[in-house]
Amino acid sequence: MLHLFTIGPNFDAPIPSHMGGNVVYADFDGMVHPAYVFWIRGVGPCLMNTPGHLLFENCSLLEREFEPYSDLRVVLSTSWAVHYRGSVRRLAARLGPALGRRVVGATFHSRMDAAEFQSTPRGLQVWSDVCRRRPKSWFALDDDGDGWPSWCRSRLVLTDPVLGISDARARAELRFRLQEMYSSP
């Protein structure tokens, strides 16, 4: 039996409804679209200073990469979950139907203290969810490599803040991680 240890925050959150399996922790900003997203009161998320780019522009690309892996699940590891008050269903809908169906949760839950969660580095947010969810195998797609614990760093596919997963290097690493995930017993 695999024993996980918890180092870092132990957010007050219920046990996830989806446990185990193969999981990709996915950020939004700097992964499915450029990182320069700002929240405007009364308007919502707006992409700034990146002409020629759109919100969620890389979703169809990610959908194609995930297509051969029917049981692959996505956990959202994005600050958008705090803005959407933990509504996984509303966030998943932003990804489109095919990717949205894969979403089984988020690293943030509405019962958590939002300020504490947001002040914690992304890598520790993900690790805390890994300890709760206990996936069989996992890795993360994110443009922010700061604050990732040494024991998680090798599971991070670092994306370009503007190109996100459309960057050839990041996409090649994504393919490698997926093949590795599905080739191990």
Side-chain angles (χ1 to χ4, degrees):
M1 180 174 168
L2 175 67
H3 293 281
L4 297 175
F5 56 93
T6 302
I7 296 177
N10 185 14
F11 300 115
D12 185 24
I15 294 173
S17 57
H18 183 273
M19 305 273 292
N22 293 320
V23 172
V24 173
Y25 287 87
D27 186 15
F28 281 1
D29 304 337
M31 203 280 284
V32 292
H33 52 242
Y36 311 107
V37 176
F38 296 91
W39 290 82
I40 300 174
R41 176 173 250 128
V43 175
C46 296
L47 196 54
M48 304 287 200
N49 303 321
T50 52
H53 291 277
L54 302 168
L55 287 173
F56 299 97
E57 66 187 6
N58 295 327
C59 287
S60 60
L61 177 70
L62 199 58
E63 183 182 322
R64 284 192 304 273
E65 295 296 336
F66 288 176
E67 190 174 7
Y69 309 99
S70 61
D71 69 332
L72 182 66
R73 297 296 171 247
V74 174
V75 172
L76 303 174
S77 59
T78 174
S79 60
W80 287 52
V82 176
H83 290 285
Y84 278 74
R85 294 183 176 89
S87 176
V88 173
R89 189 179 74 251
R90 285 178 51 211
L91 287 170
R94 303 291 303 238
L95 297 172
L99 281 179
R101 280 190 293 274
R102 293 178 181 274
V103 175
V104 295
T107 55
F108 176 76
H109 189 281
S110 60
R111 292 188 195 164
M112 293 177 176
D113 179 281
E116 178 188 9
F117 183 83
Q118 289 180 301
S119 68
T120 303
R122 179 66 50 81
L124 287 174
Q125 293 171 1
V126 168
W127 179 247
S128 180
D129 192 85
V130 167
C131 290
R132 285 190 309 274
R133 194 171 303 276
R134 299 183 180 176
K136 173 185 164 195
S137 184
W138 68 274
F139 65 89
L141 298 167
D142 203 305
D143 69 317
D144 185 2
D146 292 340
W148 280 79
S150 58
W151 62 89
C152 294
R153 189 116 182 114
S154 66
R155 294 177 183 261
L156 171 63
V157 175
L158 197 59
T159 59
D160 180 85
V162 174
L163 299 175
I165 200 62
S166 72
D167 174 62
R169 182 211 48 84
R171 207 164 51 259
E173 184 160 349
L174 167 63
R175 288 176 183 150
F176 172 78
R177 295 300 174 110
L178 288 166
Q179 290 168 355
E180 182 180 58
M181 181 182 271
Y182 282 89
S183 67
S184 59

